């Protein structure tokens, strides 16, 4: 009963029990505790885990059960706390770094603080966007190679970075600044400024801060010296007065407001520098390559690189200078071994653990050098527009344009750079790309040494002198790269600190390792294949006998041809059939004499293909060679897709190569050109038909070189080959170590060229290195964005300005001497009656200048020259005659340089013993009658005459008088009386009559005979002549009314004033030559800056704006691309459409886009042309010479459809039917287009256009495929 009544209670919760279970240790023993809140265990649960348990637990929890991961459950995710919004934190900015620090000055014995001295801190807050110093920290690793368009370049070698010592030295020469006068109140770019009015003056205007009130609580150190002494400063009242304390002298001028408060001048005087020797002005040092270098291995016991052969003398000389870290210019013939110098520099850099950059003019040469140097050194990289291999290597091979971009973008590669090797420097003569070489040579930093490799040029010393001679003066700067804006009139730093001086050692040799023999070939059939005639032997002797033999052989064949087929048959080359006969006979002759392989230079892509295709019956390879060629072709073409291997050009070239023939020109696909080059270097291509680029881009010699013609088309007209061009191509003949001599053959398909033309081409001097410097918008914007660099400095240092700038040092010295001389001269007296003496002098100078100008216009006019006929009386004024009358006897028929044979009055010569001791005549003082009109010469003694040949500038005036003279008789008589035996004969009556008439006119018109009026008589209606005549009459009236001429002291004071004014005039001329105003390209620079200002790329102060910074990132067509981007002309198009439109900017083949284009592309083409037309109109409005039609005509839209279809995925084999452009040019266009797309991608990111940037990335990806971007064989 009791059990049934028991209440059923719920089980108690363990947490409600007053007990706690505690696990003790790791053995599993438990204890019960009644203490509330006791820990659950003394150690972690269970035994310590081991590695298998951890692995199993990780597998079970995280791999087999991903739900445990915090990613799949909110309860397991990380917690976050809501951040309190603080918008004001966005407005906080770090303070400017402190440019200086205070250094305590203590007593050397007691240690008492005597004062404080401000010390400038170096390298404060340097960055790639604010400093040009090499001491700035490196940029991000992603930008270490290419740099960034927003970064500053490093200091060019022509500009020396200022140091703290420079700044301290310069402060001593600073002038005092008056803070009360002539100070700007509003700095550039600010809307408000600072009021410099005194503090007791009126209240400043609204928006202006009172500088005096700001500085009122500050002690500027301008107190009285007596007060300082009374106070016993710095020790306070009663303190010891230290006489040597720097605080006892007034404050020196400072370079900032902080300096005015803190800086104290030091009484420690800097010791005087010892006198420096006169600077050596020979910057190009020629090296004698004829003297042997016997102690080469003693001077360099452990060379950085060793060859299997003994280097030549010129190579050893260059290596010796490289060991001394000198810059060298090596000029030698093709295949002479200039690459040895480059190899040693690369090895030397690897030994020094530095870097070398090898630049080449074209991409093909870069690829070949990459293969050669990689096989030799291993650690070699390649940077081209579309390839980037091993950028971390110690030796980087690139084109010159890429190096220029790296210099402007501040690439950190420049820091470790020791050598830059410029190959094919004579390419600087290229009108289109020569400016790149000059830009790079100017922008290279000072720590980089230069190696220049070139063919023989006549002005190598001049070019090296330009590179070594200091020329660019830096803009005056304070601190690191900051222009002196507070103190613009600071004196320049000392020359030793201001300019870099570097000697360039010129090593030039004309010796050829393999001498050449030059022949004329007149054969055209198997019967005449022996008609080859020596014209120039290996010793350089010209054989006229061989020339006449070739001439006779050609004439004999022509006569036989006329007898057989008639005399009216053409005698010039007849086309492919005749070419085939000529080449078959020539190659048969060369094959018989074992003079293969041969390179045939033909100056036309079409003729190259025709000549190779015409030799269908020629087979020059053996079966084993055919097998080797076949295997090599299969291996190289295997990387192409199937349709690309069946391209007509690939099939045709494969067939030619199997027979030992090859073709090499810009229309050939790049991979086929490389196949031809490699097979040629192996000796498997026996005959190679190539254009001129083969001689420039590929260093592969042959046994024989053949010229199809000696005439070429240079883009504008047909002309003969220049000596330099002929030597460059002929130098490919002769393989060093294989051939005793090289053979050069000139084909005479038609007539034999003239002997003089052949002599000039073969033995003439090669073309000089000439500057092709021009201003580009990219150059201007890249320099304008850096305050410390100026475009004027770039122009001054260009090779085009070198002839006028190389004497700048002499001009500076002459200017200093003239300044000193001018200070020692007495001031002329201009008081009283001499008050108008300066005006009288200036009137006379101006009148003389106007008279010369009018006379020059007369002598250049048609009517003026017509009036100068025989019998005309003129006034002669030159070094021998001063205002002497003369009559014209004869006028030369040469219209370009006319000579007037004239009978002129003169004094009868009196021979006396004291004539040699005669003192020089005192300068004449011009009186009014000397200045106005012509005070004619009248002989003081017996009158005589002479016959002189006058230039137009020797005639001072043309009179209205005409005499009847017999010029021929007078000339014959005068010539006869010049002979010794007829010298005492009396003159003829005609001579006497003419002399008497001239003497009578001189006596009748002592102030000059009546002259022909230029306006009324000669009908000169030019504004300058009319206004000059009116001004001359006004000046004559002023001169006649001058009072100073009546003073007895007028002659002495005039001479004193004249000397002073002449010195000042010469000083002005020297200042002009030393100034920017004398630069030849300065007007064009101002015009281009005005274009940039009009388009909004720079502001009125010259600061580069956003559009200008975008243009800096473009490699070409910077204005057009930037305008298209900012007009949103590209953002609405698809990637393939953008690529198609941009092809008009890189395509070199002229042509119309065609009618099959989609409407979107047609509208895009018109829009691009409209933008180009707008830019061209702005250029014309700003004064540039390029017309709108010429600017728009640079766009070629002939490949728009081809590029559009290629970007859409069409195979390359189908593109041939869309355009007649050669395949090689199409590939080159697409490759350049991909580079432009990458430039636009970077520019879009710069301005924050992610959509356009993504489209440009897509466009570049669409273009980069298949045979167009097949990897180079040289890089595999």
């Amino acid at each position: 009963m009791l059990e049934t009544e028991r209440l059923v209670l719920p089980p108690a919760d363990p947490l409600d029990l007053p007990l706690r279970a505690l696990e003790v240790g790791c053995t599993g023993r438990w204890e019960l505790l009644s203490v509330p809140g006791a820990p659950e265990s003394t150690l972690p649960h269970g035994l310590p885990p081991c590695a298998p348990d951890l692995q199993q637990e990780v597998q079970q929890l995280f791999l087999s059960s991903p739900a445990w991961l915090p990613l799949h459950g909110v309860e397991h995710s990380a917690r976050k706390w809501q951040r309190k919004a603080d918008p004001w934190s966005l407005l906080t900015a770090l303070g400017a770094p402190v440019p200086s620090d205070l250094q305590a000055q203590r007593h050397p014995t007691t240690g008492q603080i005597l004062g404080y001295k401000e010390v400038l801190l170096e390298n404060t807050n340097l960055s790639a966007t604010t400093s040009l110093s090499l001491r700035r920290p490196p940029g991000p690793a992603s930008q270490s190679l290419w740099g960034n368009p927003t970064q500053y370049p490093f200091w060019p070698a022509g500009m020396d970075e200022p140091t703290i010592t420079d700044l301290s030295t310069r402060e001593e020469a600073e002038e005092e600044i008056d803070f009360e006068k002539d100070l700007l109140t509003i700095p550039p770019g600010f809307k408000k400024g600072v009021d410099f009015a005194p503090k007791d003056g009126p209240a400043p205007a609204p928006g202006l801060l009172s500088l005096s009130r700001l500085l009122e609580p500050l002690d500027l150190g301008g107190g009285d010296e007596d007060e300082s002494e009374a106070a016993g400063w710095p020790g306070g009242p009663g303190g010891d007065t230290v006489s040597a304390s720097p605080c006892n002298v007034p404050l020196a001028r400072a370079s900032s407001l902080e300096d005015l408060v803190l800086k104290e001048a030091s009484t420690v005087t800097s010791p005087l520098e010892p006198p420096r020797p006169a600077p050596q002005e020979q910057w190009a040092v020629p090296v004698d390559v004829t003297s042997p270098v016997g102690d080469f291995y003693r001077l360099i016991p452990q060379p950085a690189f060793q060859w299997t052969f003994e280097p030549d003398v010129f190579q050893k000389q260059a290596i010796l200078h490289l060991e001394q870290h000198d810059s060298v210019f090596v000029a030698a013939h093709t295949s002479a071994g200039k690459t040895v110098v480059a190899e040693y520099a690369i090895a030397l850099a690897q030994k020094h653990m530095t870097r070398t950059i090898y630049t080449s003019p074209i991409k093909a040469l870069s690829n070949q050098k990459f293969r050669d140097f990689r096989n030799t050194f291993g650690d070699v990289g390649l940077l081209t527009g579309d390839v980037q291999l091993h950028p971390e290597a110690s030796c980087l091979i690139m084109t010159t344009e890429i190096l220029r971009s790296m210099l402007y973008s501040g690439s950190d590669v420049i820091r470790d750079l020791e050598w830059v090797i410029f190959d094919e420097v004579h390419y600087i003569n290229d009108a289109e790309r020569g400016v790149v070489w000059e830009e790079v040579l100017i922008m290279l930093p000072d720590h980089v040494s230069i190696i220049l490799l070139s063919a023989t040029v006549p002005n190598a010393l001049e070019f090296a002198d330009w590179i070594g001679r200091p020329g660019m003066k830096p803009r005056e700067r304070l601190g690191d790269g900051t222009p002196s804006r507070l103190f613009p009139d600071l004196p320049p730093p000392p020359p030793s600190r201001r300019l870099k001086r570097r000697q360039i050692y010129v090593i030039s040799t004309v010796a050829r390792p393999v001498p050449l023999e030059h022949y004329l070939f007149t054969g055209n059939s198997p019967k005449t294949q022996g008609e080859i005639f020596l014209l120039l032997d290996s010793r350089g002797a010209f054989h006229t006998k061989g020339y006449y033999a070739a001439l006779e052989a050609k004439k004999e064949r022509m006569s036989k041809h006329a007898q057989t087929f008639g005399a009216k048959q053409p005698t010039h080359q007849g086309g492919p059939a005749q070419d085939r006969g000529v080449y078959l006979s020539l190659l048969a002759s060369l094959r018989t004499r074992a003079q293969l392989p041969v390179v045939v230079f033909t100056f036309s892509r079409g003729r190259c293909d025709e000549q190779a295709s015409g030799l269908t019956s020629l087979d020059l390879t053996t079966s084993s060679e055919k097998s080797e060629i076949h295997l090599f072709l299969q291996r190289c073409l295997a990387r192409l897709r199937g349709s690309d291997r069946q391209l007509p050009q690939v099939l045709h070239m494969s067939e030619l190569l199997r027979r030992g023939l090859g073709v090499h020109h810009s229309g050939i696909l790049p991979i086929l050109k490389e196949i031809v080059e490699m097979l040629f270097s192996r000796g498997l291509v026996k005959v190679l038909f190539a254009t001129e680029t083969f001689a420039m881009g590929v260093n592969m010699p042959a046994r024989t070189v053949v010229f199809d013609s000696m005439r070429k088309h240079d883009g504008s007209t047909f002309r003969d080959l220049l000596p330099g061009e002929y030597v460059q191509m002929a130098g490919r003949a002769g393989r060093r170590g294989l051939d005793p001599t090289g053979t050069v053959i000139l084909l005479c398909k038609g007539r034999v060229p003239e002997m003089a033309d052949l002599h000039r081409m073969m033995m003439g001097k090669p073309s000089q290195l000439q500057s092709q410097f021009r201003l580009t918008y990219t150059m201007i914007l890249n320099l304008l964005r850096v305050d410390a660099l100026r475009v004027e400095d770039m122009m001054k240092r260009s090779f085009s300005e070198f002839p006028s700038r190389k004497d700048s040092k002499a001009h500076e010295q002459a200017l200093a001497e003239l300044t000193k001389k001018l200070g020692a001269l007495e001031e002329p007296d201009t008081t009283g009656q001499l008050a108008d003496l300066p005006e009288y002098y200036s009137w006379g100078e101006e009148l003389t200048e106007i008279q010369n100008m009018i006379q020059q216009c007369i002598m250049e006019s048609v009517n003026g020259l017509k009036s100068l006929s025989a019998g005309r009386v003129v006034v002669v004024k030159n070094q021998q005659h001063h205002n002497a009358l003369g009559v014209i006897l004869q006028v030369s028929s040469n219209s370009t340089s006319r000579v007037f044979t004239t009978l002129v009055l003169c004094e009868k010569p009196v021979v006396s013993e004291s004539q040699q001791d005669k003192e020089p005549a005192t300068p004449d003082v011009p009186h009014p009658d000397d200045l106005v009109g012509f005070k004619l010469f009248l002989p003081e003694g017996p009158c005589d005459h002479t016959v002189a040949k006058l230039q137009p500038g020797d005639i001072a005036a043309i009179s209205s008088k005409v005499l009847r003279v017999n010029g021929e008789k007078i000339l014959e008589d005068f010539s006869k009386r010049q002979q010794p035996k007829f010298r005492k004969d009396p003159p003829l009556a005609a001579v006497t009559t003419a002399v008497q008439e001239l003497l009578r006119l001189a006596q009748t018109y002592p102030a000059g005979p009546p002259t022909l009026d230029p306006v009324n008589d000669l009908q000169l209606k030019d504004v300058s002549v009319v206004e000059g005549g009116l001004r001359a009459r006004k000046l004559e009236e002023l001169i006649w009314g001058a009072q100073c001429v009546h003073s007895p002291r007028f002659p002495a004071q005039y001479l004193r004033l004249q000397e002073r004014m002449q010195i000042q005039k010469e000083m002005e001329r020297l200042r002009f030559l030393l100034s920017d105003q004398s630069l030849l390209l300065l007007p064009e620079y101002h015009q281009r800056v005005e274009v940039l200002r009009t388009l909004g790329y720079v502001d009125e102060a010259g600061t580069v704006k956003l559009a200008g910074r975008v243009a800096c990132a473009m490699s070409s067509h910077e204005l057009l691309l930037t305008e298209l981007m900012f007009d949103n002309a590209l953002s609405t198009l698809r990637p393939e459409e953008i690529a198609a439109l941009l092809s008009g900017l890189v395509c070199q083949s002229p042509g119309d886009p065609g009618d099959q284009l989609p409407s979107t592309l047609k509208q895009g083409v018109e829009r691009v042309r409209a933008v180009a037309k707008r830019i061209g109109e702005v250029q014309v409005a700003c004064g540039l010479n390029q017309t709108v039609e010429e600017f728009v005509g640079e766009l070629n839209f002939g490949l728009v459809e081809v590029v559009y279809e290629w970007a859409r995925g069409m195979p390359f084999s189908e593109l041939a039917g869309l355009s007649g452009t050669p395949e090689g040019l199409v590939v080159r266009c697409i490759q350049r287009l991909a580079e432009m797309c990458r430039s636009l991608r970077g520019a879009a990111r710069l301005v924050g256009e992610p959509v356009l940037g993504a489209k440009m990335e897509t466009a570049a990806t669409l273009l980069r495929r298949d045979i167009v971007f097949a990897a180079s064989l040289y890089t595999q």
Side-chain angles (χ1 to χ4, degrees), residues 19 22 162 254 345 401-402 479 483 598 757 764 805 887 894 937 961 1015 1069 1115 1251 1267:
L19 298 174
L22 174 66
E401 282 81 0
I402 291 180
V598 57
D757 297 337
R805 294 281 165 179
V887 60
N894 189 357
F937 158 77
K961 302 293 183 180
V1015 178
R1069 186 186 72 85
S1115 57
V1251 176
I1267 193 172

Short mmCIF file of all heavy atoms in Angstrom, two decimals, residues 19 22 162 254 345 401-402 479 483 598 757 764 805 887 894 937 961 1015 1069 1115 1251 1267:
data_model
loop_
_atom_site.label_atom_id
_atom_site.label_comp_id
_atom_site.label_asym_id
_atom_site.label_seq_id
_atom_site.Cartn_x
_atom_site.Cartn_y
_atom_site.Cartn_z
N LEU A 19 27.44 18.38 -5.92
CA LEU A 19 28.69 17.63 -6.10
C LEU A 19 29.30 17.97 -7.46
O LEU A 19 28.59 18.34 -8.41
CB LEU A 19 28.42 16.11 -6.02
CG LEU A 19 27.86 15.59 -4.69
CD1 LEU A 19 27.52 14.10 -4.82
CD2 LEU A 19 28.85 15.81 -3.56
N LEU A 22 35.45 15.37 -10.73
CA LEU A 22 36.74 15.87 -11.18
C LEU A 22 37.59 14.72 -11.68
O LEU A 22 37.80 13.73 -10.97
CB LEU A 22 37.46 16.59 -10.04
CG LEU A 22 38.89 17.05 -10.33
CD1 LEU A 22 38.89 18.12 -11.40
CD2 LEU A 22 39.56 17.58 -9.06
N PRO A 162 72.29 66.96 -56.50
CA PRO A 162 72.91 67.82 -55.49
C PRO A 162 73.05 67.09 -54.16
O PRO A 162 72.21 66.28 -53.78
CB PRO A 162 71.93 69.00 -55.38
CG PRO A 162 70.62 68.42 -55.80
CD PRO A 162 70.92 67.39 -56.83
N ALA A 254 68.53 81.52 -45.14
CA ALA A 254 68.13 80.12 -45.11
C ALA A 254 67.26 79.80 -46.31
O ALA A 254 66.85 80.68 -47.05
CB ALA A 254 67.39 79.82 -43.82
N ALA A 345 82.19 42.22 -71.76
CA ALA A 345 81.44 43.07 -70.83
C ALA A 345 80.41 42.25 -70.07
O ALA A 345 80.20 42.45 -68.86
CB ALA A 345 80.77 44.20 -71.60
N GLU A 401 63.84 50.64 -77.87
CA GLU A 401 62.60 51.25 -77.41
C GLU A 401 62.21 50.77 -76.03
O GLU A 401 61.70 51.54 -75.20
CB GLU A 401 61.47 50.94 -78.41
CG GLU A 401 61.49 51.77 -79.67
CD GLU A 401 62.46 51.26 -80.72
OE1 GLU A 401 63.14 50.24 -80.45
OE2 GLU A 401 62.56 51.86 -81.79
N ILE A 402 62.45 49.49 -75.73
CA ILE A 402 62.11 48.97 -74.41
C ILE A 402 63.01 49.59 -73.35
O ILE A 402 62.55 49.94 -72.25
CB ILE A 402 62.20 47.44 -74.42
CG1 ILE A 402 61.09 46.86 -75.29
CG2 ILE A 402 62.15 46.87 -73.02
CD1 ILE A 402 61.09 45.36 -75.38
N GLY A 479 67.26 70.40 -52.05
CA GLY A 479 66.88 69.09 -51.59
C GLY A 479 66.96 68.09 -52.71
O GLY A 479 67.78 68.16 -53.58
N PRO A 483 62.62 71.82 -57.28
CA PRO A 483 63.17 73.05 -57.81
C PRO A 483 63.15 74.15 -56.77
O PRO A 483 62.33 74.17 -55.86
CB PRO A 483 62.23 73.37 -58.99
CG PRO A 483 61.53 72.09 -59.27
CD PRO A 483 61.45 71.36 -57.99
N VAL A 598 75.93 31.69 -101.35
CA VAL A 598 75.90 33.04 -101.86
C VAL A 598 74.64 33.73 -101.38
O VAL A 598 73.57 33.11 -101.26
CB VAL A 598 75.96 33.02 -103.41
CG1 VAL A 598 74.82 32.21 -103.99
CG2 VAL A 598 75.92 34.43 -103.98
N ASP A 757 80.36 56.26 -110.88
CA ASP A 757 79.36 55.80 -109.91
C ASP A 757 79.88 54.58 -109.15
O ASP A 757 79.68 54.46 -107.94
CB ASP A 757 78.06 55.47 -110.63
CG ASP A 757 77.44 56.68 -111.30
OD1 ASP A 757 77.75 57.80 -110.86
OD2 ASP A 757 76.66 56.51 -112.26
N GLY A 764 83.93 55.15 -101.78
CA GLY A 764 83.57 56.39 -101.11
C GLY A 764 83.50 56.23 -99.61
O GLY A 764 83.49 55.12 -99.06
N ARG A 805 76.80 73.70 -79.28
CA ARG A 805 76.92 73.67 -77.83
C ARG A 805 78.29 73.20 -77.34
O ARG A 805 78.58 73.32 -76.16
CB ARG A 805 75.85 72.73 -77.25
CG ARG A 805 74.44 73.24 -77.45
CD ARG A 805 74.09 74.30 -76.46
NE ARG A 805 72.90 75.03 -76.86
CZ ARG A 805 72.36 76.00 -76.16
NH1 ARG A 805 72.93 76.38 -75.02
NH2 ARG A 805 71.30 76.63 -76.58
N VAL A 887 82.32 100.54 -111.77
CA VAL A 887 81.43 100.29 -112.89
C VAL A 887 81.52 98.80 -113.23
O VAL A 887 82.61 98.22 -113.28
CB VAL A 887 81.79 101.16 -114.10
CG1 VAL A 887 83.21 100.91 -114.56
CG2 VAL A 887 80.80 100.93 -115.24
N ASN A 894 76.13 82.30 -113.69
CA ASN A 894 75.68 81.39 -112.64
C ASN A 894 74.61 82.07 -111.80
O ASN A 894 74.87 83.07 -111.13
CB ASN A 894 76.87 80.97 -111.76
CG ASN A 894 76.48 79.85 -110.81
OD1 ASN A 894 75.34 79.42 -110.76
ND2 ASN A 894 77.47 79.39 -110.05
N PHE A 937 84.63 107.65 -101.51
CA PHE A 937 86.09 107.64 -101.47
C PHE A 937 86.63 108.55 -102.57
O PHE A 937 86.22 108.49 -103.73
CB PHE A 937 86.59 106.22 -101.66
CG PHE A 937 88.01 106.13 -102.15
CD1 PHE A 937 89.08 106.34 -101.27
CD2 PHE A 937 88.29 105.85 -103.48
CE1 PHE A 937 90.38 106.26 -101.72
CE2 PHE A 937 89.59 105.77 -103.93
CZ PHE A 937 90.65 105.96 -103.04
N LYS A 961 73.18 105.90 -112.45
CA LYS A 961 74.06 106.26 -113.56
C LYS A 961 74.52 105.00 -114.30
O LYS A 961 74.82 103.98 -113.66
CB LYS A 961 75.29 107.03 -113.07
CG LYS A 961 74.94 108.31 -112.29
CD LYS A 961 74.31 109.34 -113.20
CE LYS A 961 74.04 110.63 -112.46
NZ LYS A 961 73.41 111.64 -113.35
N VAL A 1015 61.51 101.14 -103.99
CA VAL A 1015 60.06 101.02 -104.14
C VAL A 1015 59.61 101.54 -105.50
O VAL A 1015 58.89 100.88 -106.24
CB VAL A 1015 59.34 101.77 -103.00
CG1 VAL A 1015 57.83 101.70 -103.18
CG2 VAL A 1015 59.75 101.21 -101.65
N ARG A 1069 75.24 88.40 -77.31
CA ARG A 1069 75.33 87.29 -78.25
C ARG A 1069 75.76 86.00 -77.54
O ARG A 1069 75.19 84.92 -77.78
CB ARG A 1069 76.32 87.62 -79.36
CG ARG A 1069 76.39 86.59 -80.49
CD ARG A 1069 77.50 86.92 -81.46
NE ARG A 1069 78.80 86.67 -80.89
CZ ARG A 1069 79.42 85.49 -80.89
NH1 ARG A 1069 78.83 84.44 -81.45
NH2 ARG A 1069 80.60 85.34 -80.34
N SER A 1115 52.93 53.82 -76.34
CA SER A 1115 54.20 53.68 -77.05
C SER A 1115 54.20 54.44 -78.37
O SER A 1115 55.25 54.84 -78.85
CB SER A 1115 54.50 52.20 -77.30
OG SER A 1115 53.44 51.60 -78.03
N VAL A 1251 36.21 48.28 -67.25
CA VAL A 1251 35.52 47.64 -68.37
C VAL A 1251 36.40 47.68 -69.62
O VAL A 1251 36.61 46.67 -70.30
CB VAL A 1251 34.17 48.34 -68.63
CG1 VAL A 1251 33.50 47.73 -69.86
CG2 VAL A 1251 33.27 48.21 -67.41
N ILE A 1267 50.03 30.71 -85.57
CA ILE A 1267 51.30 30.99 -86.23
C ILE A 1267 51.76 32.43 -86.03
O ILE A 1267 52.95 32.72 -86.08
CB ILE A 1267 51.19 30.68 -87.74
CG1 ILE A 1267 52.58 30.65 -88.39
CG2 ILE A 1267 50.26 31.67 -88.44
CD1 ILE A 1267 52.55 30.15 -89.82
#
